[in-house]
């Protein structure tokens, strides 16, 4: 746990120009702490505000200066109070000096940790940087910032700056803004710092990393261009889905007085043989079976290990190919990144040369990867260049997995140009579509790209953590509505749509939609969706229901007649009733009637099939209960009945299904010999055939 | 890769498409492969890649075998039957002439494909003439009609199950476009009429008939002679049905392969373009990883499958649960409970639609904006007339303007942003390579993206390749160029091996098959002098000389090993300060401290673990005392 501990100081601008966006800052910072409370419980967080009316920090007491900077919270291990504090950040009244605040933040870190905890200390600055910082006593502002940046590097601190711009800073002084940008850039160049600009509340929520995950390499070794040249690389995950937290199952069985109750539920699996449902088969008597079609092939783990595919750990180049050969939609999984071995200058140059040449020539590399020794499969993927824009960062390569032949389904779809003229858009319609595509622009020139994945938070996770926090105060708290800022992600931006009302209206006018009433089916999938937000739960219900069923194999209500909904089950239930011998004959006659009903309406294919199904069940039942005569008489009757009533096809079908009389072999009471049973249908076949042709 | 039950029942709701690409029994398909075995199928050949001639019959069989192999892996619940017509021998339930249903033991005529069936089909060609034989079934003067019989036999095979829940198909392979060409006069008309009626009856029962025509280079298969009527194609469809069948065998095989499987819709989606306007689109999973099938636990004595039962036990009291209805999360030293309804409400940020949010230039879509395999969208006018027209218009605009659409997909398990990228149709001689439509790519959120490139920043400026080095790399790329590379040209070696082993075991063969791994690099190509030269040049350019020696020197001495070496050196020095033999003889070893004892052990490369007594006895035994 503590190995990956993070020590974080939030340096927040609360000056008047920030007031409009502070609610978002509160949200993102409190969520950051909420996540830490779950995933990184030992992290420490401190809060520094600037732009406040008051002044309260140690430096001002020790050396003076540092006005309007308040240490709202000294370094401490995250707890619930911290969330509350961050939810109510006091608003300031003056325009603060971000550099003062950074120094105060650094001072806090140095005083508590000195030069220890290298690489784990982080400052996170949120400001709009609209106002000038004070002139230093000596040297230029640049010199001052450079000195501080050096100190930061020395103490192993990182800094992330989020600069809020765009529509929040319309009346600002551009000269000051530019100056501040240059100053903040020094941090980003000289230190291990990152600076991002955000223009909308939504992207502010996405800009601050709310969960720190220790990066782990999935491969370290050679990228083998060939046996002649190898490049030392490290491979990391570039994207990886941050999942909804896995919640544990809750048990309410522990007495309320038990303070140490875990409330956890253990899941236990038992393997039982089908024949003896009460016997548990121990692990040493179990063997894995692999499916091959309908067969299940048993193979022990040792046997399997001996024959299974065992590639050697390696990453090998297969060759280069044109970018156009690899369509974007063939990317299969989350993305990895290949980085040259850190501080290996030659490897960095080699990767850089490859990346840059790829970029120049529009090429990509195809590689075959086995990340770990003992991995049972290989992946083939594509390397694409990632040219670094920052001086301190080396060039790297992105890696995407490509599909194998087995993974692709080649369905054919009609060409658009071959579709009927009615489905082809007219020139006017095409124009309207062009206009729509042009005007509903999410990446307007000179402005921030809207909904850029890198700055778009996950609305579901945000909502979950908010609800969690609410519930910690009131266990019955309702699920909060989706935050307005996050609605911008799930719904179209009303501003964007209203600005382009004319284009949208034209689009509406040009195209016509007609609902097809005939085919309006109940839309099952939508119904399913509404309920299945809890899909996991539903599935579990299903599974447990099955288990319950198999455990309690006793029919609950006694069946007394063969109904319409589940005739087969009814029949079986009645046949197996032992309280009176009457039930068997009742069941058989009931089933016979059912079959007759169906046969009489057998022009419908479905009925035909059902009748066969029932007939099979009847036959089986009669064999089990040793009542062959009942069945044989019935079948003979059917054979006679069908041709008389023009139901040849049913007979034909019966014959093809090989449902014959019950022979002596099957039931001793039967008066029918084997041969007779087998040839039962043969006799009539030639007769029925010519007639059938006219059907 | 092994799937344990624990994993199968994972709480995390997995990929929403998951149940859909792991086919279930309820969506199974019944198919009859109906193969013309007339002499014409054996006499017509087409040249294959390696200039060998392959007959149309061989082509049809190898396509069927290929598709069965896929079926047995991916969709083993599907049931198939193999039926030849225009045969000399007959074998079918109705005892019709000229129709032969191929089957193997332990299998009904229409049943799930088995290892044995695959093997039989693989070897059928050698014994075909002897055991089944080929002859024209429709000859003038005779009243026999083998095509009619074949359709009827196929229909009978497909009798089982309801057409409402099952897909029933007849796949007809033939190279005869005019089966009744040799017949003259009224009887010809009669034969055609009854055959068409037969086909129509089958179609009325919910059976679809697919024609897979084989044409030869000098003789195109002419649909309009007969088959257009049989499969119910009309004017417009005709042209679309046979996209330029190439001369190459491979093209024909590709085309047949594409038509073997029925398209399955994953979901019907409503794409709302504005608040007032929503169109219908169907989504298809064209690319999904194929995994080896789930394992089934068996009783090792009887080899019978075992039933897995899951029970929930309260960790505090040991009480049994049926199904716990609440979940919880530890938070701030509290136990926070959530009900299923609450969780689904949290996740339900948008009702199951696909909502258009706007458009962006394609350059905004980065290579790392990916999480999962994409899903293909194609419009449908079935429920909402006019959907296709709007879809096509938007599609064309997006292709023309190089833009993609950003939309929000309100799926129940993971609502997320998606990119809709318009894909133009691509057709080659082998048929459609890329269908027209939109590919839906799942975009990551900020929470899912990691900035790992920035983990190891260079204090100064990170080294960059010089122009010369880039030029050398470019030369390399020209040399080692996979010109015709196509995604998915490789078979998955792990999967191939998996199923080859299973097949061998299922058939109780002794020898394990060798599976060719297509994914290994082309060593031969890489060692061609020209390639080697460019490789050497690139190496020299980026690494300079002496790289190997330096690397070798560096690799051996890591920080840890340096430290270890230092310790052992001091230990051996200190070790010399004692007279161990004397100490041991006089029983004075136990007077030394553990640290001192360890000098000896370290110096002699012995383990240093254990208590003092253990150390002493280890020293004594090492000295042979």
């Amino acid at each position: 746990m503590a190995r990956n501990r993070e020590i974080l100081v939030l340096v927040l601008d609360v000056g008047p120009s920030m007031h409009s966006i502070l609610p978002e800052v509160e949200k993102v910072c409190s969520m950051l702490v909420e996540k830490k409370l779950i995933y990184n419980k030992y992290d420490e967080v401190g809060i520094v505000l600037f732009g406040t009316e008051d002044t309260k920090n140690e430096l001002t007491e020790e050396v003076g200066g540092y006005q309007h900077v308040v240490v709202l919270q000294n370094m401490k291990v995250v707890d619930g109070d911290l969330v509350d504090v961050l939810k109510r950040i006091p608003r300031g009244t003056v325009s603060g000096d971000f550099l003062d605040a950074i120094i105060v933040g650094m001072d806090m870190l140095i005083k508590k940790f000195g030069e220890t905890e290298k690489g784990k200390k982080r400052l996170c600055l949120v400001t709009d940087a609209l106002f000038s910082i004070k002139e230093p006593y000596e040297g230029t502002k640049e010199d001052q910032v450079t000195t501080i940046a050096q100190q930061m590097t020395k103490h192993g601190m990182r800094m992330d700056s989020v600069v809020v711009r765009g529509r929040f800073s319309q009346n600002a002084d551009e000269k000051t803004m530019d100056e501040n940008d240059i100053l903040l850039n020094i941090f980003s160049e000289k230190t291990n710092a990152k600076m991002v600009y955000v223009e909308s509340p939504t992207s502010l929520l996405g800009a601050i990393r709310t969960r720190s995950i220790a990066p782990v390499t999935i491969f370290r070794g050679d990228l083998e261009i060939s046996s002649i040249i190898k490049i030392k690389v490290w491979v990391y995950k570039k994207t990886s889905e941050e999942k909804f937290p896995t919640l544990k199952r809750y048990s309410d069985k522990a007495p309320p007085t038990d303070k140490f109750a875990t409330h956890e539920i253990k899941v236990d699996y038992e393997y039982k043989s089908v024949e003896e449902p009460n016997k548990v088969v121990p692990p040493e008597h179990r063997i894995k079976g692999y499916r091959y079609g309908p067969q299940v092939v048993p193979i022990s783990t040792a046997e399997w290990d001996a024959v299974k595919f065992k590639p050697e750990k390696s990453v090998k180049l297969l060759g280069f190919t044109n970018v156009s050969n690899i369509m974007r939609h063939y990317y299969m999984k989350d993305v990895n990144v290949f980085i040259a071995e850190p501080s290996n200058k030659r490897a960095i140059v080699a990767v850089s040369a490859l990346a840059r040449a790829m970029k120049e020539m529009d090429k990509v590399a195809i590689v075959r990867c086995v990340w770990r020794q003992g991995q049972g499969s290989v992946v083939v993927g594509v390397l694409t260049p990632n040219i670094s824009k920052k001086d301190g960062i080396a060039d790297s390569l992105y890696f995407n997995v490509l599909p194998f032949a087995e993974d692709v389904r080649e369905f054919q779809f009609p060409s658009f140009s071959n579709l009927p003229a009615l489905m082809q858009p007219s020139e006017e319609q095409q124009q309207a579509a062009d206009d729509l595509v042009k005007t509903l622009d999410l990446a307007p020139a000179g402005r921030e790209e809207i909904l850029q994945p890198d700055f778009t938070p996950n609305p579901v996770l945000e909502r979950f953590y908010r609800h969690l926090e609410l519930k910690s105060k009131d266990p019955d708290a309702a699920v909060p509505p989706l935050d307005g800022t996050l609605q911008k992600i799930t719904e179209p931006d009303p501003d964007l749509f209203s600005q382009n009302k004319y284009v949208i209206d034209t689009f509406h006018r040009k195209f016509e939609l007609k609902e097809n009433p005939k085919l309006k089916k109940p839309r099952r999938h939508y119904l399913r969706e509404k309920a299945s937000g809890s899909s996991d739960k539903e599935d579990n219900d299903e599974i447990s229901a099955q288990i319950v069923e198999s455990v309690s194999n006793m029919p609950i209500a006694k069946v007394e007649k063969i109904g319409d909904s589940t005739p087969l089950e009814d029949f079986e239930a009645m046949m197996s009733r032992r309280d009176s011998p009457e039930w068997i004959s009742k069941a058989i006659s009931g089933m016979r009637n059912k079959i007759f009903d169906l046969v009489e309406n057998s022009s419908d294919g479905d009925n035909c099939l059902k009748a066969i199904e029932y007939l099979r069940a009847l036959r089986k039942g009669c064999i089990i209960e040793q009542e062959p005569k009942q069945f044989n008489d019935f079948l003979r009757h059917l054979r006679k009945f069908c041709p008389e009533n023009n139901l040849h096809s049913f007979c034909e079908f019966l014959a093809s299904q090989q449902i014959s009389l019950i022979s002596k072999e099957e039931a001793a009471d039967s008066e029918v010999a084997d041969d007779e049973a087998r040839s039962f249908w043969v006799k009539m076949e030639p007769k029925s055939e010519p007639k059938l042709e006219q059907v | 890769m092994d799937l344990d039950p624990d994993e199968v029942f994972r709480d995390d709701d997995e990929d929403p498409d998951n149940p859909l690409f792991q086919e279930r029994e309820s969506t199974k398909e019944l198919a009859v492969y109906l193969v013309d075995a007339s002499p014409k199928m054996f006499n017509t050949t087409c040249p294959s890649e390696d200039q060998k001639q392959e007959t149309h019959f061989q082509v049809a069989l190898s396509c069927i075998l290929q598709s069965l192999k896929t079926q047995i892996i991916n969709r083993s619940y599907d049931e198939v039957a193999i039926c030849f017509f225009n045969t000399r021998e007959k074998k079918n339930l109705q005892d019709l002439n000229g129709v032969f249903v191929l089957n193997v033991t332990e299998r009904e005529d229409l049943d799930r494909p088995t290892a044995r069936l695959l093997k039989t089909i693989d070897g059928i060609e050698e014994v075909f003439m002897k055991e089944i034989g080929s002859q024209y079934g429709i000859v003038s003067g005779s009243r026999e009609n083998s095509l009619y019989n074949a359709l009827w036999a196929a229909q009978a095979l497909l009798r089982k199950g309801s057409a409402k829940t099952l897909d029933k198909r007849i796949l007809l392979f033939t190279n005869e476009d005019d089966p009744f060409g040799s017949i003259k006069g009224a009887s010809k008309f009669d034969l055609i009429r009854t055959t068409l009626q037969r086909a129509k009856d089958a179609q009325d029962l919910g059976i679809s008939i697919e024609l897979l025509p084989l044409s030869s280079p000098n003789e195109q298969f002419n649909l309009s002679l007969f088959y257009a009527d049989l499969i119910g194609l009309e004017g417009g469809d005709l042209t679309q049905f046979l996209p330029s069948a190439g001369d190459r065998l491979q093209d024909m095989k590709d085309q047949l392969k594409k038509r073997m499987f029925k398209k399955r819709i994953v979901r019907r989606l409503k794409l709302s373009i504005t608040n007032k306007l929503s169109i219908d689109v169907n989504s298809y999973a064209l690319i999904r990883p194929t995994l080896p099938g789930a394992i089934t636990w068996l009783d090792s004595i009887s080899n019978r499958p075992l039933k897995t039962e899951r029970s929930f036990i309260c960790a505090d009291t040991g009480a049994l649960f049926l199904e716990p209805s609440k979940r919880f999360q530890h938070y701030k030293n509290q136990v926070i409970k959530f009900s299923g309804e609450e969780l689904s409400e949290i996740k339900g940020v948008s009702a199951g639609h696909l909502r258009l949010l706007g458009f962006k230039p394609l350059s905004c879509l980065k290579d790392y904006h990916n999480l999962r395999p994409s899903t293909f969208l194609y419009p449908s006018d079935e429920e909402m007339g006019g959907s296709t027209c709007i879809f096509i218009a938007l599609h064309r605009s997006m292709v023309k303007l190089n833009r993609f659409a950003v939309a929000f997909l309100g799926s129940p398990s993971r609502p997320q942003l998606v990119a809709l990228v318009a894909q133009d149709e691509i057709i080659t001689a082998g048929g459609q390579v890329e269908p027209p439509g939109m590919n839906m790519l799942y975009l990551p959120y900020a929470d899912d993206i990691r900035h790992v490139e920035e983990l190891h920043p260079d204090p100064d400026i990170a080294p960059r390749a010089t122009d010369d080095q880039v030029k050398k790399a470019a030369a390399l790329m020209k040399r080692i160029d996979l010109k015709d590379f196509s995604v998915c040209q490789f078979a998955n070696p792990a999967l191939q091996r998996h199923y080859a082993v299973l097949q061998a075991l299922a058939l109780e063969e002794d020898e394990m098959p060798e599976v060719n791994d297509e994914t290994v690099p082309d060593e031969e190509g890489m060692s061609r002098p020209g390639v080697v030269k460019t490789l050497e040049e690139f190496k020299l350019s980026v690494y300079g000389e002496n790289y190997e020696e330096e690397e070798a020197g560096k690799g051996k001495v890591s920080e840890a090993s340096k430290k270890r070496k230092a310790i052992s050196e001091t230990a051996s020095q200190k070790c010399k300060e004692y007279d161990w033999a004397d100490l041991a003889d006089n029983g004075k070893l136990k007077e030394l401290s553990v640290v001192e004892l360890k000098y000896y052990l370290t110096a002699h490369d012995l383990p240093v673990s254990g208590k003092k007594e253990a150390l002493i006895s280890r020293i004594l035994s090492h000295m042979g005392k």
Side-chain angles (χ1 to χ4, degrees), chain B residues 16-64:
Chain B
D17 298 332
N18 210 4
L20 301 144
F21 67 81
Q22 290 196 342
E23 308 285 347
R24 290 192 189 155
E25 194 167 11
S26 59
T27 60
K28 74 177 172 186
E29 175 181 299
L30 309 181
V32 173
Y33 294 102
L34 205 53
V35 186
D36 189 353
S38 74
K40 188 175 176 186
M41 286 288 281
F42 290 90
N43 296 338
T44 322
T45 57
C46 32
S48 70
E49 301 286 90
D50 44 2
Q51 297 309 311
K52 259 190 265 166
Q53 298 285 312
E54 253 191 272
T55 66
H56 277 167
F57 188 75
Q58 282 171 321
V59 173
L61 275 187
S62 76
C63 286
I64 291 171

Side-chain angles (χ1 to χ4, degrees), chain A residues 429 432-433 436 440 492 497 503-515, chain B residues 269-281 353-357 359 384-391 393-394:
Chain A
Q429 288 175 323
L436 190 80
L440 292 184
F497 276 65
V503 176
I504 291 166
D505 286 347
T506 315
F507 191 81
H508 282 157
R509 267 202 312 280
K510 295 288 177 211
F511 290 98
E512 201 185 351
L513 282 175
K514 260 188 276 155
E515 209 158 311
Chain B
L269 288 170
K270 275 223 171 297
L271 168 60
S272 53
I273 294 167
T274 65
N275 288 332
K276 289 187 219 149
L277 190 86
S278 305
I279 63 170
D280 281 347
V281 291
H353 298 288
L354 191 57
R355 302 190 98 165
L356 179 76
L357 303 178
F359 299 90
M384 192 61 90
S387 292
T388 308
C389 182
I390 294 180
F391 188 91
L394 287 176

Side-chain angles (χ1 to χ4, degrees), chain A residues 41-61:
Chain A
K41 278 187 263 194
Y42 304 105
D43 283 7
E44 294 196 29
V45 171
I47 308 167
V48 176
L49 305 182
F50 64 103
T52 48
E53 178 75 53
D54 305 335
T55 303
K56 185 181 146 246
N57 62 70
E58 285 185 12
L59 279 180
T60 200
E61 288 157 25

Side-chain angles (χ1 to χ4, degrees), chain A residues 145-161:
Chain A
V145 170
T146 311
T147 323
I148 294 167
Q150 279 160 355
Q151 280 297 312
M152 238 184 226
T153 318
K154 188 179 151 224
H155 286 92
M157 290 179 204
R158 300 157 170 262
M159 185 168 84
D160 291 344
S161 341

Side-chain angles (χ1 to χ4, degrees), chain A residues 337-354:
Chain A
V337 64
F338 277 54
I339 296 168
E341 186 179 61
S343 71
N344 180 341
K345 291 245 150 68
R346 283 160 160 166
I348 296 174
V349 169
V351 169
S352 168
L354 285 181

